[in-house]
């Protein structure tokens, strides 16, 4: 039951409000193409920034440090557009680990630029809890 409560908390309890970018889909496309003309990208809404507790898994933390990534992912309940067509409009997505965060709405992994449209929330979760939702 504890595991179910942790997952429910991640999805349904309040988090720290985080602003995303407040633009139309067309404007978001223009922004990403202008700034990252050769990168794959995904526009998302209804998103949660999840900080992962990796303090108990030293090997995982060492690997993230070695690859210049940070223990954070985005879970978005709504894909608006994916340039690689991995997900359809309306699908959910969970990113890989954060590589770089810019301008308060550009979440970059090693493979993809995610544009965070609209406001979201920030939460903290264990790797085990995150693994239970996918």
């Amino acid at each position: 039951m504890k595991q179910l409560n942790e997952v429910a908390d991640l999805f349904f309890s309040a988090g720290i409000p985080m602003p995303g970018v407040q633009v139309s889909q067309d404007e978001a496309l223009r922004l990403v193409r202008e700034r990252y003309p050769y990168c794959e990208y995904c526009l998302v809404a209804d998103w949660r920034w999840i900080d992962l507790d990796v303090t108990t898994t030293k090997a995982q933390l060492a690997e993230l440090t070695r690859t210049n990534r940070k223990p954070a992912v985005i879970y978005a309940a709504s894909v608006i557009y994916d340039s690689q067509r991995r997900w359809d409009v309306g699908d959910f997505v969970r990113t890989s680990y954060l590589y770089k965060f810019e301008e308060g709405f550009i979440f970059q992994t090693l493979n993809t630029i995610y544009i965070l449209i609209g406001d979201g929330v920030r939460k903290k979760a264990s790797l085990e809890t995150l693994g239970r939702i996918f």
Side-chain angles (χ1 to χ4, degrees):
M1 190 62 154
K2 179 184 176 206
Q3 297 168 347
L4 181 59
N5 287 337
E6 290 171 350
V7 171
D9 179 61
L10 184 60
F11 282 109
F12 302 113
S13 69
I16 299 168
M18 276 186 84
V21 66
Q22 305 293 333
V23 297
S24 68
Q25 178 179 338
D26 289 341
E27 180 64 12
L29 286 171
R30 187 192 65 74
L31 285 168
V32 74
R33 286 181 180 149
E34 179 180 283
R35 295 175 191 187
Y36 306 97
Y38 305 108
C39 292
E40 299 297 342
Y41 60 90
C42 186
L43 309 179
V44 298
D46 192 16
W47 54 272
R48 291 182 177 277
W49 175 298
I50 304 171
D51 290 306
L52 297 167
D53 181 7
V54 293
T55 57
T56 59
T57 54
K58 292 182 172 125
Q60 183 75 23
L61 186 57
E63 178 64 15
L64 288 173
T65 302
R66 185 184 70 74
T67 57
N68 199 27
R69 294 179 295 163
K70 296 162 187 66
V73 299
I74 295 292
Y75 169 85
S78 182
V79 170
I80 297 170
Y81 180 78
D82 178 44
S83 67
Q84 296 181 68
R85 306 281 187 199
R86 296 167 293 185
W87 302 286
D88 288 330
V89 172
D91 283 353
F92 71 87
V93 64
R94 184 195 80 188
T95 70
S96 55
Y97 294 112
L98 173 64
Y99 172 68
K100 192 185 309 181
F101 186 60
E102 299 179 320
E103 300 188 41
F105 66 91
I106 301 171
F107 188 99
Q108 185 175 357
T109 67
L110 293 177
N111 300 316
T112 305
I113 305 289
Y114 292 87
I115 303 298
L116 308 178
I117 297 179
D119 295 336
V121 295
R122 192 168 188 163
K123 304 282 300 221
K124 189 166 191 164
S126 69
L127 286 169
E128 294 80 15
T129 299
L130 185 68
R132 287 183 189 106
I133 61 175
F134 300 102

